[in-house]
Amino acid sequence: MSRLGRRALLANGALVVAFALSRGALAQDTDQPELPGGLAKSPLLDSWISVGADGQITVFTGKVELGQGLKTALIQIAAHELAVAPSEVDIVTADTARTPDEGVTAGSQSLQDSGTAILNAAANVRVLLAETAAWRFALAVDQIEMRDGAAYAPDGRTIGYGELVSGASLHVAAKPDVPRREGGARVIGEDLARIDIPAKVSGGEAFLQDMRLPGMLHARVVRGPSDGTRLKQANIEAVATMPGVLQVIRNGRFTAIVADDEWRAVKALYRLQAAGWERIGEPLPAKRMREAIRGLPAQPVPIFHYPGPPAPPEAHTLTARYSRPCLMHGSIGPSCAVALWEDDSVTVWTHSQGVHPLRTALAELLGLALERVRCVHVEGAGCYGHNGADDVAADAALAARAVPGQPVRLQWMREQEHGWEPLGSTMTVEMSGSLGLDGRIVAWQHEVWSNTHSTRPTTAGGLLAGAEVEPPFVPPRPLPIRLPEGGAARNSTPIYDLPNARGTLHFVEEMPVRVSALRSLGAQMNVFAIESFMDELAQAAAIDPVAFRLAHLRDERAREVVQIAAERFGWSARGRGTGFAFARYKNLASYCAVAMDVRIDRETGEIHMPRVVAAVDCGEAVSPDGIRNQIEGGIVQSLSWTMRESVTFDTTHRTSFDWSAYPILRFPAMPGRVEVHVIDRPKQPFLGPGEAAQGPAAAALANAVAHALGIRLRDMPLSPERIRAALRPTPAAPRQAAG
Amino acid sequence: MIALTVNGETHQVDVDPDTPLLYVLRNELALNGAKFGCGLGQCGACTVLLDGKPVYSCLVPVAALRTRKVRTLEGLASPDGTPGVLSIAFEAEQAAQCGYCIAGMIVRAQALLERNTRPTADEVRAHLAPNLCRCGTHMRILRAVHRAAEMMGGGVRAVAEREP
Ligand code: FES
Ligand code: FES
């Protein structure tokens, strides 16, 4: 049967998927231990796994594929526990009509949440089917062998899963204590080729941007050049009569063009934009954004406090201030959505990371009951956090409402993505630390200033269009994200063994520019600061930086990651220009250490990176190559952030309007080699690797640059201009513009 | 009607003459390979071969093509559907994260390897410089190009690391 045929069968209800019942309804009077991962919220087995009458297995996840290999990893997990080949397992990702509500795909939590749920649900299904087979064979369940999609009796009798499932209901709650499969073919831990890659390398329909529905129209949204601006009154009539333009939709300030052809929609957009623009509200601060944010009123939030003995008088105290500019997600494909409005209901195909929260926000924006909004995830270009995906989904839904019955595809222009995506907040960290005479840290203080790290939409006010329509929706008030994950405070708690330490977040509520979640949130900056500062302290104590870290590190897994990275790099024989850094993401997820070397061209200030070596422990390694892929990518992306990137502003708007105004690393500047060593921890909980490298890579670079130059650079980006200025400090040293 | 030759086939399309080739490939010919990334000639996601040379299809008005031959990622496969050497090499190296940039990478690399199956490592990097990847897949992309060069009977020559 073809893949399509199987899906059709499912949709026809071979096993109806239901996931509406909450845990409360099912488990309220049991004393059972908490179900693991996403099962806690959606405990029914058939929310996660269905077995068709033909034996076809389908896995349902509320998480989404972002190019991190999620689909393949979840298939691997299910196939392993169900004792079938991965090719026998199909997967359905986030769709508000079909999959569990798993919130947002973020925080490297997909394997922790969905992977753990599917692992346990699959083990439950396997046991249920084995029990059914035992009953059918009149044998004890431990005599049944489950493999290759069938149950086997010792005498050779066999029944396929498809037949077994007709006698077993999967519409039951998972049990928490079902054992993992032992023995037999291993699927977890194998390097399975990713199922999404063939289409991506051959021109298949791989992305939302590639969707073509019959009769599909094309739309463009019309905005000023950046967040905080609007277009001046334009000549709508002239545009409405341009060839191919079907509608110019206006609702308050929200304006969109629907055309019969994409290029014609673009030409109409250009014509409207020619009217010019103006700033709405207060001018932006004239100074650099990081200083502006540091200077705004802030709410102090305690992060951690270890009330050990105060530093003795002979202690040597160091202080340092580190900062980063606003950073951009900079997805290579501008955000896109396809929407279809029919019978007072709307379906939106979206690459949002959170289809369920988006659905709630869209229902409010459109004044529809929740059941009348369906959001279906389809892959887009990599997003690395909250970019324009949700906003464009709202733009497309509003456009589709104007042309019922006709699907509308709306993609942002490059300049719109650069101008309007929420940025990663600028941050400042001030560190203070004291060394005892024995070279140990006796006191430590970490203070961080930042805007919020999440304005992900859960209401209409969180969407750009929400503020534009009439009457407008009020954007929600930003709040600090709770610890232990934290937003701006993420990874500000040191993993090191410190007797007397205190951390404070200075949460700046006022947002001069639009900000939200960017890969690793505050962790990249906090780890940059902590790990730079650890090197500064090590230098003051005249101790090797790796030895200094190990002297303050008790967690055994952390020590091993540090030691393996150092060993594989050849740290003990290191030359000039080497740097090391380590963190455990969120202090509760993956461990990652990075060692690297740099050579600096003292004339140009360019940094060359011959070699980067990383070690990572993300618990049980589902797909080692998938982990390497993500860590390699995280390292390269973080190096680009750290050495090149800075969003610029003038007093009226964001001026990083395209790739020429916001350069990122290109091939010639890439490291010579990047090696990633994966430490597998069989049977340990999954800890996603997606964001683990952002902080360590940034700090390893800073430490290598300091080691090469003998000068410490504490402000990102470590750009050629900054390096030249550091090497030739003159009164006329060039200063970064805004940022 | 405007005529254009894509992957060996001639098509007539009814579009405004100033429509960029990229929009015609995607919307008229339903080819997914070339992607809209910037529309500005800055990212290479839309790269196609024009008479064998890599160009930004987002910047070429379809009416300017005349008799020049367009090849896209889809056109690198053989007529029986076997993917091109670079596609095979990219898959073998698992050289994609989101993969949005990958079609452009493959097409640009094709132009290099058709000219020279023994480039140096630095030549490969310089050649791919116009194409952006935001996922940081660069190291795998380089490995895939090296593998493809070998599959074509050549190979990428290592050269001494640059000394600053
Ligand atoms: S889309 Fe053509 S170069 Fe970016
Ligand atoms: S793989 Fe995502 S942009 Fe290159």
Side-chain angles (χ1 to χ4, degrees):
Chain A
M1 186 185 253
S2 71
R3 304 289 267 188
L4 212 66
R6 284 171 182 150
R7 287 219 174 86
L9 184 71
L10 258 172
N12 289 339
L15 263 177
V16 177
V17 183
F19 42 82
L21 282 183
S22 69
R23 172 172 167 73
L26 275 153
Q28 56 197 1
D29 14 78
T30 65
D31 293 331
Q32 288 188 339
E34 175 92 359
L35 284 164
L39 283 172
K41 205 167 147 202
S42 305
L44 293 175
L45 295 182
D46 63 358
S47 302
W48 302 94
I49 291 172
S50 83
V51 181
D54 59 348
Q56 171 63 38
I57 293 163
T58 306
V59 170
F60 299 87
T61 174
K63 301 289 184 180
V64 307
E65 177 69 57
L66 305 167
Q68 83 283 44
L70 173 93
K71 286 183 184 173
T72 311
L74 294 181
I75 285 176
Q76 262 180 288
I77 290 171
H80 183 92
E81 274 309 312
L82 288 165
V84 297
S87 56
E88 298 303 311
V89 181
D90 219 338
I91 187 159
V92 175
T93 59
D95 174 343
T96 56
R98 299 182 73 191
T99 66
D101 176 0
E102 293 198 80
V104 178
T105 302
S108 302
Q109 289 198 169
S110 297
L111 283 190
Q112 260 158 290
D113 298 348
S114 214
T116 305
I118 288 165
L119 180 82
N120 284 276
N124 269 273
V125 170
R126 188 193 70 244
V127 168
L128 274 178
L129 297 180
E131 284 168 353
T132 310
W135 180 78
R136 293 268 298 267
F137 292 143
L139 292 169
V141 70
D142 58 8
Q143 290 179 281
I144 307 295
E145 191 192 349
M146 305 291 278
R147 68 179 144 86
D148 305 329
Y152 290 81
D155 58 12
R157 282 178 295 164
T158 173
I159 312 178
Y161 288 179
E163 197 185 331
L164 285 174
V165 82
S166 62
S169 172
L170 303 188
H171 197 62
V172 294
K175 291 187 188 144
D177 46 7
V178 172
R180 296 264 307 263
R181 183 170 72 84
E182 296 288 346
R186 202 171 122 93
V187 188
I188 288 178
E190 296 297 301
D191 286 334
L192 199 64
R194 262 171 48 192
I195 62 165
D196 55 319
I197 289 186
K200 291 175 176 177
V201 299
S202 64
E205 194 184 308
F207 299 95
L208 172 56
Q209 282 86 347
D210 301 333
M211 257 180 93
R212 291 178 197 87
L213 297 180
M216 189 169 79
L217 304 174
H218 289 273
R220 285 294 181 275
V221 66
V222 188
R223 296 200 160 99
S226 94
D227 151 42
T229 69
R230 70 169 161 227
L231 282 190
K232 289 191 177 148
Q233 189 55 46
N235 187 348
I236 301 284
E237 289 68 40
V239 170
T241 56
M242 284 173 73
V245 173
L246 303 175
Q247 288 229 22
V248 180
I249 299 157
R250 309 210 67 194
N251 179 348
R253 261 191 298 124
F254 178 83
T255 308
I257 298 151
V258 181
D260 63 355
D261 171 86
E262 189 174 9
W263 179 243
R264 288 173 156 185
V266 173
K267 284 195 281 188
L269 168 67
Y270 288 156
R271 179 101 168 246
L272 284 177
Q273 283 175 335
W277 56 274
E278 60 204 1
R279 177 150 188 92
I280 324 173
E282 298 285 297
L284 288 175
K287 49 183 161 187
R288 291 197 310 171
M289 195 56 71
R290 68 185 91 185
E291 276 129 30
I293 297 290
R294 173 72 178 76
L296 284 172
Q299 166 199 345
V301 183
I303 312 172
F304 60 92
H305 183 209
Y306 313 147
E314 72 276 13
H316 174 42
T317 298
L318 268 66
T319 59
R321 177 200 275 207
Y322 306 88
S323 72
R324 82 165 200 191
C326 286
L327 296 173
M328 208 175 265
H329 302 78
S331 184
I332 289 297
S335 296
C336 184
V338 176
L340 173 62
W341 188 284
E342 255 176 343
D343 307 326
D344 293 323
S345 299
V346 68
T347 302
V348 183
W349 290 268
T350 169
H351 54 89
S352 163
Q353 288 180 300
V355 292
H356 283 89
L358 173 63
R359 178 201 201 191
T360 309
L362 289 180
E364 186 186 5
L365 175 73
L366 302 166
L368 289 178
L370 202 56
E371 317 77 75
R372 295 195 167 272
V373 182
R374 177 178 180 187
C375 295
V376 185
H377 183 267
V378 185
E379 248 190 284
C383 59
Y384 332 104
H386 175 196
N387 69 346
D390 299 278
D391 298 310
V392 80
D395 297 343
L398 286 167
R401 184 162 70 177
V403 286
Q406 282 178 287
V408 175
R409 178 187 185 278
L410 194 155
Q411 183 163 16
W412 280 4
M413 305 304 288
R414 166 53 49 203
E415 304 88 323
Q416 293 179 320
E417 189 77 32
H418 266 60
W420 291 88
E421 66 143 274
L423 304 172
S425 176
T426 169
M427 298 174 74
T428 299
V429 173
E430 292 180 6
M431 306 287 311
S432 148
S434 305
L435 287 167
L437 294 177
D438 59 353
R440 284 191 69 86
I441 302 167
V442 289
W444 175 278
Q445 189 162 314
H446 184 126
E447 291 189 83
V448 49
W449 283 259
S450 177
N451 269 158
T452 182
H453 285 260
S454 180
T455 58
R456 287 188 189 272
T458 51
T459 61
L463 297 162
L464 281 181
E468 295 170 338
V469 294
E470 199 46 54
F473 294 86
V474 183
R477 199 177 152 192
L479 289 170
I481 298 174
R482 278 195 324 258
L483 290 160
E485 281 86 3
R490 182 164 292 179
N491 272 95
S492 54
T493 307
I495 191 169
Y496 299 108
D497 185 18
L498 306 171
N500 175 322
R502 184 190 284 278
T504 310
L505 162 62
H506 300 274
F507 182 77
V508 180
E509 187 174 320
E510 186 186 332
M511 295 176 285
V513 294
R514 188 174 192 226
V515 291
S516 192
L518 171 67
R519 193 174 189 178
S520 85
L521 310 191
Q524 190 247 0
M525 179 64 211
N526 286 315
V527 172
F528 176 84
I530 291 174
E531 290 295 291
S532 294
F533 197 56
M534 283 297 281
D535 261 40
E536 297 198 49
L537 289 169
Q539 195 187 357
I543 300 175
D544 172 81
V546 170
F548 186 73
R549 283 175 174 78
L550 288 170
H552 291 87
L553 206 47
R554 264 196 267 187
D555 180 327
E556 275 310 317
R557 285 169 72 175
R559 294 180 63 86
E560 195 172 334
V561 168
V562 167
Q563 282 159 337
I564 287 179
E567 203 177 285
R568 297 294 166 94
F569 180 77
W571 186 260
S572 54
R574 71 181 180 136
R576 194 174 164 80
T578 45
F580 192 95
F582 162 76
R584 180 179 191 194
Y585 187 48
K586 298 191 263 188
N587 291 327
L588 47 75
S590 295
Y591 302 82
C592 180
V594 175
M596 65 185 290
D597 54 5
V598 299
R599 286 188 216 143
I600 295 173
D601 183 324
R602 300 178 80 91
E603 276 310 304
T604 62
E606 292 286 346
I607 303 172
H608 300 284
M609 302 176 284
R611 184 163 170 247
V612 185
V613 175
V616 58
D617 167 358
C618 40
E620 179 159 19
V622 176
S623 167
D625 190 60
I627 294 166
R628 283 193 292 273
N629 201 351
Q630 289 193 71
I631 296 289
E632 280 171 31
I635 288 171
V636 167
Q637 187 180 61
S638 181
L639 291 173
S640 179
W641 292 353
T642 309
M643 61 195 265
R644 272 289 191 288
E645 300 183 25
S646 175
V647 180
T648 54
F649 308 91
D650 62 19
T651 53
T652 59
H653 70 318
R654 202 186 281 182
T655 49
S656 299
F657 45 81
D658 66 12
W659 294 119
S660 70
Y662 188 80
I664 63 174
L665 279 198
R666 290 180 183 263
F667 274 98
M670 285 296 145
R673 263 194 295 164
V674 178
E675 297 161 31
V676 178
H677 301 281
V678 176
I679 302 165
D680 189 11
R681 301 278 185 198
K683 301 279 166 81
Q684 288 291 328
F686 305 133
L687 307 169
E691 295 158 307
Q694 308 309 110
L701 178 75
N703 290 338
V705 168
H707 193 236
L709 296 180
I711 304 169
R712 171 67 56 177
L713 297 180
R714 300 188 182 89
D715 299 309
M716 289 184 246
L718 280 61
S719 59
E721 298 75 34
R722 281 227 169 83
I723 288 175
R724 289 201 306 266
L727 287 170
R728 282 183 288 286
T730 65
R735 209 173 123 89
Q736 291 272 134
Chain B
M1 284 289 190
I2 297 169
L4 72 164
T5 309
V6 178
N7 300 332
E9 252 182 80
T10 303
H11 303 266
Q12 302 283 334
V13 292
D14 183 13
V15 295
D16 297 352
D18 59 351
T19 308
L21 171 60
L22 174 65
Y23 290 73
V24 174
L25 295 173
R26 296 189 57 81
N27 297 335
E28 307 302 316
L29 307 184
L31 293 170
N32 297 313
K35 301 277 188 251
F36 179 85
C38 65
L40 304 164
Q42 296 176 345
C43 75
C46 64
T47 305
V48 300
L49 299 179
L50 205 54
D51 288 342
K53 298 229 167 57
V55 297
Y56 303 120
S57 66
C58 68
L59 296 183
V60 180
V62 65
L65 287 175
R66 304 193 185 276
T67 58
R68 289 189 286 172
K69 293 187 177 44
V70 180
R71 262 164 94 207
T72 70
L73 173 63
E74 291 86 346
L76 306 185
S78 31
D80 68 358
T82 313
V85 172
L86 274 151
S87 297
I88 294 170
F90 271 66
E91 167 146 35
E93 292 290 344
Q94 294 284 290
Q97 288 180 71
C98 81
Y100 198 87
C101 68
I102 295 298
M105 297 286 179
I106 291 178
V107 172
R108 187 170 299 277
Q110 176 84 16
L112 173 69
L113 297 185
E114 276 179 7
R115 203 159 35 76
N116 176 10
T117 55
R118 297 196 159 275
T120 66
D122 278 353
E123 277 167 353
V124 176
R125 288 171 180 238
H127 179 84
L128 291 176
N131 287 37
L132 291 178
C133 172
R134 189 52 163 164
C135 295
T137 313
H138 304 75
M139 309 312 294
R140 282 176 185 243
I141 293 169
L142 292 170
R143 291 205 287 274
V145 175
H146 293 200
R147 180 189 279 253
E150 280 165 19
M151 288 165 71
M152 291 175 178
V156 173
R157 286 177 292 135
V159 283
E161 252 159 19
R162 291 160 298 179
E163 288 291 339

